[in-house]
RNA sequence: GGUCGCGUGGCCGAGUGGCUUAGGCACUGGUCUGCAAAACCAGGUACAGCGGUUCGAAUCCGCUCGCGACCUCCA
């Protein structure tokens, strides 16, 4: 692999050269959603970020096994000992549905939304309920290794013992072990089943009325949250794999506990590189339903929200996400969305023009040739630097005037070689569609349907005749009427083109 | 309260010691156009505040203010 890829490893808190365990292959596990409600826009950002990472790794030539789970049991509302209820079970009770109906409903919705945002499906999408046996086996291994204890049919991970014996716990999330240990004094009053508040359930005994229940050596119950990821990543990617990803907010306790479980079960670290995406904000603050500062993907598409002035298309939002780095927070505002929308259209239109260019120069290398090639090189350099999509995008935007200039005749083909034009074309094509995962949303251009294209050609011809006769009334009427239909005509030197707004 | 992170021009958003004009949007001037749009060319505004380190800091350190994340469910 000729590119050197650098990634920011949360575990080390620094950028590192990426080296996979097996040359040419990558195992990547990303924590998926708990399917107990409609998918949150913030989730979408995380999965779009990892989609781009997945796409870029494949572009680099790696064979990637991308595992993204569905958590459909074990994720509690509140804590075990304080009467916390399983999220799915709670929803099932409230909506009077079978838990699996709840799961299916929101999982379908999640998949639909992922498709709308044009994310590639993962290689494997395992579900926690489909891996109860694996989880039971892992609990047993942890018990056998002395890092878990049984209390009244539930099994708890012995965090304190693990932390004392291994210099691992807290490394990922930056916890201080001494603080965790001393925490116990404050919480003694809670009459926990747990020996220590930092311990966590890996198997939970179900109450008589609980909807989620499986047989186990310890009780009829269900597995704890965190465990499904440890068990399933091990099953499909091995005890130690390359990349583990997820939202920043999962670092603690979820990921920290995952690391502990894997060590507890097999004495080794689950992943070499940990990648965490940052949060999506709205109007500078975190999204919060209770403070009326939130928006659903649907509302964003339709514009039916007091926070935005109009609807924005899924691809436009994907582009908006590309404009910030995955490790930075991204602030969603109406103004920012409008700006991004224009930028998105400019990029897509420029690419359309670029792809239509036919080389007619003298195949000589001028200053322009060199400049274009340098910018193209930079696009790749930026992506290799921890998937820096905003910078890669900036370089593409610097190439936009070159492409448009060649089209308009401001720039001459004589200044570049045919090779460079081809390289420019393929760079745009590959980045926009294959790596950034954007899609054309209008029905204009070559991809449009034949009837519409034919009609538009006819209309444009009629208007050209009118213009030739200086019949500005007819000419402008056509343009204005089409404009009202959100079809924009653009008169250029070599004729009129059109695009859908 | 504890731990960690952030605060960049009108808006969004990269950049982490000495030219980055980052980029997008908006704005201004020009070219092109029947007019317009698009496109192209050119232009301005910045590094939260205060203090320190340094020959030199938006970039390192300290303090203050503001915001956020985690510590309890969260991508």
């Amino acid at each position: 692999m000729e590119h050197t890829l650098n990634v920011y490893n949360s575990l080390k808190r620094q950028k590192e050269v990426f080296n996979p365990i097996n040359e040419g292959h990558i195992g990547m596990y990303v924590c998926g959603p708990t399917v107990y409600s409609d998918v949150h826009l913030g989730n979408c950002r995380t999965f779009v970020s990892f989609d781009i990472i997945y796409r870029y790794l494949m572009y680099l030539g790696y064979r990637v096994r991308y595992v993204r789970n569905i958590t459909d049991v074990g994720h509690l509302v509140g804590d075990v000992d304080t009467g916390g209820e399983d999220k799915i079970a709670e929803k099932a009770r409230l909506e009077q549905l079978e838990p699996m109906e709840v799961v299916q409903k929101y999982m379908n919705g999640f998949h639909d939304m992922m498709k709308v945002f044009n994310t590639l499906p993962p290689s494997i999408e395992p579900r926690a309920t489909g891996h109860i046996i694996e989880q039971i086996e892992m609990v047993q291994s942890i018990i056998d290794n002395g890092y878990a204890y049984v209390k009244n049919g539930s099994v708890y991970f012995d965090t304190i013992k693990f932390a004392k014996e291994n210099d691992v716990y807290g490394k990922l999330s930056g916890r201080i072990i001494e603080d965790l240990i001393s925490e116990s004094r404050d919480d003694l009053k809670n009459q926990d089943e747990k020996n220590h508040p930092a311990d966590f359930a890996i198997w939970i005994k179900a109450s008589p009325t609980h909807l989620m229940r499986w047989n186990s050596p310890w009780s009829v119950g269900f597995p704890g949250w965190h465990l499904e990821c440890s068990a399933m990543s091990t099953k499909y990617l091995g005890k130690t794999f390359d990349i583990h990803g997820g939202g920043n907010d999962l670092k603690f306790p979820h990921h920290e506990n995952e690391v502990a479980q894997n060590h507890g079960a097999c004495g080794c670290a689950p992943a070499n590189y940990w990648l965490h995406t940052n949060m999506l904000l709205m109007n500078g603050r975190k999204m919060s339903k209770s403070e009326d500062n939130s928006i659903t993907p649907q509302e964003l598409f339709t514009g039916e929200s007091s926070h935005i002035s109009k609807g924005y298309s899924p691809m436009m939002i994907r582009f908006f996400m590309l404009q910030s780095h995955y490790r930075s927070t991204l602030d969603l505002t109406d103004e920012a969305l409008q700006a991004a929308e224009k930028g998105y259209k400019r990029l897509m239109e420029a690419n359309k023009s670029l792809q239509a260019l036919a080389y007619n120069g003298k195949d000589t290398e001028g200053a322009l040739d060199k400049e274009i090639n340098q910018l193209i090189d930079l696009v790749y350099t930026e992506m290799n630097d921890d998937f820096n999509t905003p910078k890669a995008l900036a370089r593409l935007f610097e190439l936009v005037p070159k492409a448009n200039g060649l089209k308009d005749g401001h720039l001459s083909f004589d200044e570049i070689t045919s090779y460079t034009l081809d390289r420019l074309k393929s760079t745009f094509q590959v980045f926009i569609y294959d790596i950034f995962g954007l899609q054309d949303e209008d029905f204009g251009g070559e991809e449009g349907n034949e009837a519409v294209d034919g009609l538009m050609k006819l209309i444009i011809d009629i208007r050209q005749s009118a213009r030739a006769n200086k019949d500005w009334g007819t000419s402008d009427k056509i343009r204005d009427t089409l404009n009202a239909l959100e079809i924009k005509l653009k008169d250029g030197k070599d004729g009129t083109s059109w695009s859908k707004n």
Side-chain angles (χ1 to χ4, degrees):
Chain A
M1 221 119 315
E2 54 187 291
H3 303 278
T4 301
L5 178 65
N6 286 283
V7 302
Y8 183 90
N9 190 350
S10 300
L11 195 56
K12 309 276 184 61
R13 292 155 198 275
Q14 63 184 21
K15 281 185 196 167
E16 297 179 333
V17 174
F18 177 77
N19 287 309
I21 295 164
N22 299 307
E23 182 66 32
H25 294 257
I26 293 175
M28 176 164 86
Y29 188 93
V30 173
C31 287
T34 299
V35 283
Y36 68 104
S37 66
D38 289 320
V39 62
H40 181 82
L41 191 61
N43 284 51
C44 296
R45 184 200 184 194
T46 290
F47 299 130
V48 165
S49 293
F50 281 108
D51 183 55
I52 288 158
I53 289 170
Y54 176 45
R55 286 165 178 270
Y56 191 65
L57 293 175
M58 288 196 293
Y59 166 78
L60 291 179
Y62 289 108
R63 285 192 58 188
V64 185
R65 181 180 289 171
Y66 174 24
V67 180
R68 187 184 64 205
N69 67 289
I70 293 280
T71 294
D72 55 359
V73 66
H75 203 156
L76 304 184
V77 181
D79 206 355
V80 197
D81 7 40
T82 50
E85 190 173 11
D86 181 281
K87 285 191 168 189
I88 309 286
E90 181 194 45
K91 193 81 177 186
R93 181 172 54 74
L94 292 173
E95 297 192 1
Q96 297 198 308
L97 292 169
E98 180 67 26
M100 283 305 105
E101 283 185 280
V102 172
V103 166
Q104 193 69 51
K105 176 181 171 186
Y106 294 114
M107 189 171 70
N108 290 347
F110 170 66
H111 286 151
D112 290 346
M113 194 54 72
M114 287 297 101
K115 205 168 273 183
V116 164
F117 278 115
N118 196 33
T119 65
L120 298 172
S123 322
I124 303 174
E125 190 173 55
R127 287 165 60 173
T129 53
H131 298 76
I132 300 293
I133 290 171
E134 288 83 350
Q135 296 183 76
I136 289 173
E137 285 171 353
M138 186 168 254
V139 170
Q140 190 61 57
S141 298
I142 296 171
I143 293 174
D144 292 347
N145 290 336
Y147 289 120
Y149 54 89
V150 183
K151 278 268 180 84
N152 304 323
S154 290
V155 185
Y156 294 96
F157 190 90
D158 194 335
T159 305
I160 300 304
K161 182 182 181 206
F162 176 77
K164 284 179 176 166
E165 294 180 6
N166 302 271
D167 188 24
V168 169
Y169 201 80
K171 284 279 182 298
L172 179 64
S173 60
R175 297 297 123 157
I176 298 165
I177 300 304
E178 289 68 33
D179 290 355
L180 278 172
I181 294 172
S182 63
E183 201 185 348
S184 59
R185 297 182 191 96
D186 311 328
D187 287 273
L188 278 176
K189 52 187 181 248
N190 274 359
Q191 289 200 339
D192 295 351
E193 275 186 356
K194 298 192 283 191
N195 290 345
H196 189 280
D199 295 350
F200 54 94
I202 51 182
W203 184 265
I204 301 160
K205 182 184 177 181
S207 66
T209 56
H210 198 100
L211 294 168
M212 312 288 259
R213 43 209 311 134
W214 285 267
N215 287 319
S216 81
W218 313 285
S219 65
V220 172
F222 54 98
W225 184 45
H226 317 312
L227 190 66
E228 82 282 22
C229 287
S230 289
M232 298 190 295
S233 65
T234 301
K235 172 159 183 165
Y236 298 112
L237 297 172
K239 289 177 178 174
T240 300
F241 50 94
D242 299 300
I243 297 172
H244 191 124
N248 224 341
D249 50 353
L250 289 181
K251 255 191 207 166
F252 191 88
H254 186 59
H255 289 160
E256 194 68 73
N257 289 352
E258 244 188 277
V259 172
Q261 287 167 343
N262 281 285
H263 271 96
C266 58
C268 59
N272 290 144
Y273 303 90
W274 284 82
L275 272 52
H276 288 99
T277 57
N278 217 138
M279 301 293 104
L280 181 67
L281 307 177
M282 189 159 82
N283 300 321
R285 333 197 96 260
K286 80 167 182 177
M287 288 209 196
S288 149
K289 275 184 194 168
S290 55
E291 289 170 40
D292 189 33
N293 193 53
S294 75
I295 190 166
T296 67
Q298 281 308 331
E299 289 167 342
L300 196 51
F301 301 152
T302 61
E304 286 164 17
S305 162
S306 59
H307 298 292
I308 49 175
S309 61
K310 51 167 288 195
Y312 298 95
S313 76
M315 283 306 108
M316 204 240 90
I317 291 158
R318 191 169 167 120
F319 174 88
F320 174 69
M321 291 171 176
L322 286 167
Q323 281 191 307
S324 78
H325 187 88
Y326 76 88
R327 280 191 290 114
S328 299
T329 52
L330 172 60
D331 191 8
L332 189 95
T333 63
D334 192 53
E335 220 175 350
L337 287 169
Q338 289 196 27
E341 181 167 53
K342 292 186 180 167
Y344 167 63
K345 284 180 177 165
R346 179 168 146 85
L347 180 71
M348 298 305 268
E349 286 296 311
N351 182 50
K352 207 183 282 179
S353 306
L354 172 65
Q355 299 303 331
L357 291 181
Y359 187 76
N360 63 4
K362 296 175 185 159
D363 246 327
T364 48
E365 295 180 23
L368 179 63
D369 193 85
K370 197 178 170 195
E371 193 188 348
I372 289 176
N373 276 299
Q374 280 176 346
L375 283 169
I376 292 173
D377 290 342
L378 279 175
V379 178
Y380 293 95
T381 305
E382 307 296 12
M383 275 307 276
N384 285 330
D385 183 16
D386 196 30
F387 314 101
N388 199 324
T389 57
K391 287 186 86 175
L393 203 52
R395 299 290 92 81
L396 285 182
F397 268 107
E398 288 182 62
L399 286 164
V400 162
K402 311 299 178 204
N404 285 331
L406 286 168
K407 183 201 172 203
D408 289 355
H410 290 109
L411 298 173
S412 166
F413 284 105
D414 291 343
E415 290 184 60
I416 65 167
T417 63
S418 58
Y419 166 79
T420 298
L421 180 65
D422 286 344
R423 189 170 180 232
L424 184 60
K425 283 184 180 181
S426 69
T427 299
F428 267 70
Q429 204 68 10
V430 163
F431 265 86
I432 291 174
Y433 298 104
D434 299 344
I435 297 172
F436 291 162
L438 297 168
Q439 283 176 317
D440 291 309
E441 292 184 314
D442 61 14
F443 52 84
E446 304 89 282
E447 294 80 17
N449 82 53
E450 284 180 30
V452 173
D453 283 349
L455 285 170
M456 284 308 302
K457 188 170 182 307
L458 175 67
I459 293 167
I460 288 170
D461 280 353
I462 292 170
R463 179 162 169 275
Q464 283 309 352
S465 309
R467 292 179 75 208
N469 295 328
K470 297 196 191 277
D471 177 4
W472 309 128
T474 304
S475 162
D476 289 351
K477 184 182 176 188
I478 290 173
R479 186 174 65 196
D480 294 345
T481 308
L482 287 174
N483 205 36
L485 295 169
E486 304 231 301
I487 292 171
K488 200 181 277 176
L489 291 184
K490 284 177 277 193
D491 298 329
K493 279 205 155 45
D494 47 351
T496 300
S497 62
W498 64 281
S499 64
K500 182 102 168 67
N501 247 350

